């Protein structure tokens, strides 16, 4: 009986110790760390922009890192929840929605690029004769998609601030999925006006010329959020935050990101995105 008791206690101790070590080990979804990103720009551009982050995490964590561009703004939360992805890069609106649906996801950082904020713009062509939101009555308009912060949520509030209903103001509304396509549609005159992120303006002007007129601009919006899935342990979350916090001081990351918009990361907290939550409440 004594031997059985000792054996039971020994097995129990091993089980408890095993649970302790398992709870503190790296808990990635697989041998490869997977980053899932919302499809706000064409895939080749996103792959190029994320390359310095991939290299940094791979070197610091000593593991393979891959980037997957999600099919929609909405499915990053699902990927994190089901451990198909380890890290997600979400727009402000998609982050707020994912956090509400899956509260256990971990906020890591916010893109700095070089500031932590950007703007939603409502644009027309300079030669269109359109100068105000009121001038868009009965005109055609392009959004990106309903999951977009600057390409849908915030511009609708800008329209409401001017006393108009975004559901009835336009003769027709298009959803073009990507900001680049909205810029192109405005530049080519395919639509009278559209909603875009200010982050794409320099590239659009370089491509199409100085043809855009800003009809209205939003308050500052926090940039994309980097988050970790619920399966990532708290020690690893802290480790990831420290890697991101010190990215600007990393010589290789600095060199690799020299010609790219993202120069580093802000480590803030979830409350940074409360401005987006307030916009959702009135949308």
């Amino acid at each position: 009986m004594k031997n059985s008791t000792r054996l039971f206690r020994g097995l129990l101790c091993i089980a408890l110790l095993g649970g302790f070590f398992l709870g503190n080990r790296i808990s990635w979804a697989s041998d490869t760390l997977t980053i899932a990103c919302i499809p706000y720009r064409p895939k080749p551009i996103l792959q190029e922009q994320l390359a310095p982050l991939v290299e940094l995490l791979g070197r610091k964590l000593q593991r393979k890192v891959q980037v997957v561009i999600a099919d929609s703004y909405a499915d990053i939360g699902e990927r994190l929840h089901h451990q198909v992805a380890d890290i997600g890069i979400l727009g402000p609106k998609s982050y707020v929605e994912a956090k509400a649906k899956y509260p256990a996801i971990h906020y890591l950082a916010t893109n700095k690029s070089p500031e932590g904020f950007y703007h939603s713009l409502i644009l027309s062509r300079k030669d269109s004769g359109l100068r105000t939101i009121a001038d868009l009555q009965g005109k055609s308009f392009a959004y990106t998609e309903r999951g977009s912060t600057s390409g849908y949520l915030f511009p609708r509030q800008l329209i409401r601030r001017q006393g108009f209903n975004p559901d009835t103001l336009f003769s027709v509304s298009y959803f073009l999925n990507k900001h680049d396509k909205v810029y192109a549609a405005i530049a080519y005159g395919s639509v009278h006006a559209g909603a875009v992120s200010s982050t794409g303006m320099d590239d659009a002007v370089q491509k199409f010329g100085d043809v855009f007129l800003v009809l209205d601009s939003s308050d500052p919006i926090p940039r994309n959020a980097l988050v970790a899935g619920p399966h990532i342990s708290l020690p690893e979350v802290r480790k990831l935050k420290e890697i991101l916090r010190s990215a600007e001081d990393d010589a290789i990351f600095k060199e690799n990101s020299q010609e790219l918009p993202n120069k580093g990361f802000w480590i803030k907290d979830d409350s940074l995105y409360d401005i987006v939550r307030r916009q959702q409440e009135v949308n």
Side-chain angles (χ1 to χ4, degrees):
M1 186 68 176
K2 284 185 177 180
N3 289 339
S4 298
T5 301
R6 288 196 188 100
L7 178 61
F8 174 76
R9 288 175 177 170
L11 291 172
L12 179 61
C13 182
I14 290 170
L16 290 172
L17 286 171
F20 172 80
F21 288 118
L22 284 171
N24 287 276
R25 68 179 174 83
I26 294 176
S27 50
W28 312 113
S30 69
D31 291 338
T32 299
L33 185 149
T34 299
I35 302 173
C37 180
I38 55 171
Y40 63 99
R41 300 204 68 183
K43 184 175 179 178
I45 293 177
L46 291 175
Q47 295 280 6
E48 179 186 9
Q49 290 183 353
L50 292 172
L53 175 63
V54 169
E55 189 284 329
L56 177 71
L57 292 177
R59 175 162 44 88
K60 295 289 186 177
L61 297 172
Q62 297 191 342
R63 64 189 298 111
K64 184 179 177 181
V65 179
Q66 68 175 357
V67 171
V68 175
I69 308 304
D71 297 325
S72 73
Y73 281 61
D75 72 351
I76 303 286
E78 296 282 339
R79 290 172 186 253
L80 295 170
H81 176 70
H82 293 293
Q83 301 187 28
V84 178
D86 302 298
I87 293 174
I89 300 176
L90 301 100
K93 181 176 183 288
S94 50
Y95 166 68
V96 166
E97 291 172 345
K99 184 68 174 173
K101 189 172 183 179
Y102 303 112
I105 64 175
H106 308 283
Y107 167 84
L108 295 175
T110 295
N111 278 350
K112 216 168 184 177
S113 314
E115 301 173 336
F117 298 92
Y118 69 112
H119 299 270
S120 171
L121 306 176
I122 294 180
L123 301 181
S124 66
R125 277 187 62 101
K126 287 183 175 179
D127 59 5
S128 68
L130 304 171
R131 295 292 179 266
T132 67
I133 298 298
D135 293 336
L136 299 181
Q137 182 75 52
K139 300 297 191 293
S140 58
F141 194 84
Y143 295 106
T144 53
E145 69 160 75
R146 287 180 173 84
S148 175
T149 310
S150 58
Y152 184 74
L153 178 64
F154 272 69
R156 288 172 64 81
Q157 296 310 314
L158 290 175
I159 292 165
R160 285 196 175 96
R161 279 188 201 173
Q162 298 295 326
F164 299 97
N165 183 343
D167 294 323
T168 59
L169 179 63
F170 311 116
S171 60
V172 60
S173 296
Y174 299 102
F175 290 87
L176 304 184
N177 296 319
K178 296 197 169 39
H179 294 271
D180 306 61
K181 291 184 177 180
V182 176
Y183 274 110
I186 297 167
Y188 292 134
S190 303
V191 294
H192 290 103
V196 293
S197 165
S198 62
T199 59
M201 179 64 93
D202 289 345
D203 287 346
V205 169
Q206 186 174 3
K207 184 174 182 179
F208 301 110
D210 187 17
V211 300
F212 301 103
L213 177 69
V214 178
L215 302 184
D216 209 346
S217 177
S218 73
D219 294 331
I221 308 169
R223 287 180 180 261
N224 289 347
L226 279 73
V227 302
H231 60 286
I232 307 300
S233 67
L234 290 179
E236 290 307 313
V237 168
R238 288 192 289 270
K239 184 174 183 178
L240 287 167
K241 283 187 174 183
E242 187 50 43
I243 291 171
L244 296 172
R245 187 195 312 277
S246 58
E248 287 179 278
D249 300 321
D250 184 275
I252 297 176
F253 179 86
K254 194 172 182 179
E255 175 66 25
N256 289 343
S257 59
Q258 198 168 24
E259 303 299 324
L260 298 174
N262 187 30
K263 309 297 184 186
F265 306 91
W266 267 0
I267 311 300
K268 298 292 185 178
D269 60 49
D270 177 79
S271 64
L272 181 67
Y273 295 89
D274 284 349
I275 185 175
V276 181
R277 294 183 174 97
R278 290 192 292 271
Q279 292 291 332
Q280 283 187 312
E281 289 172 0
V282 297
N283 192 45

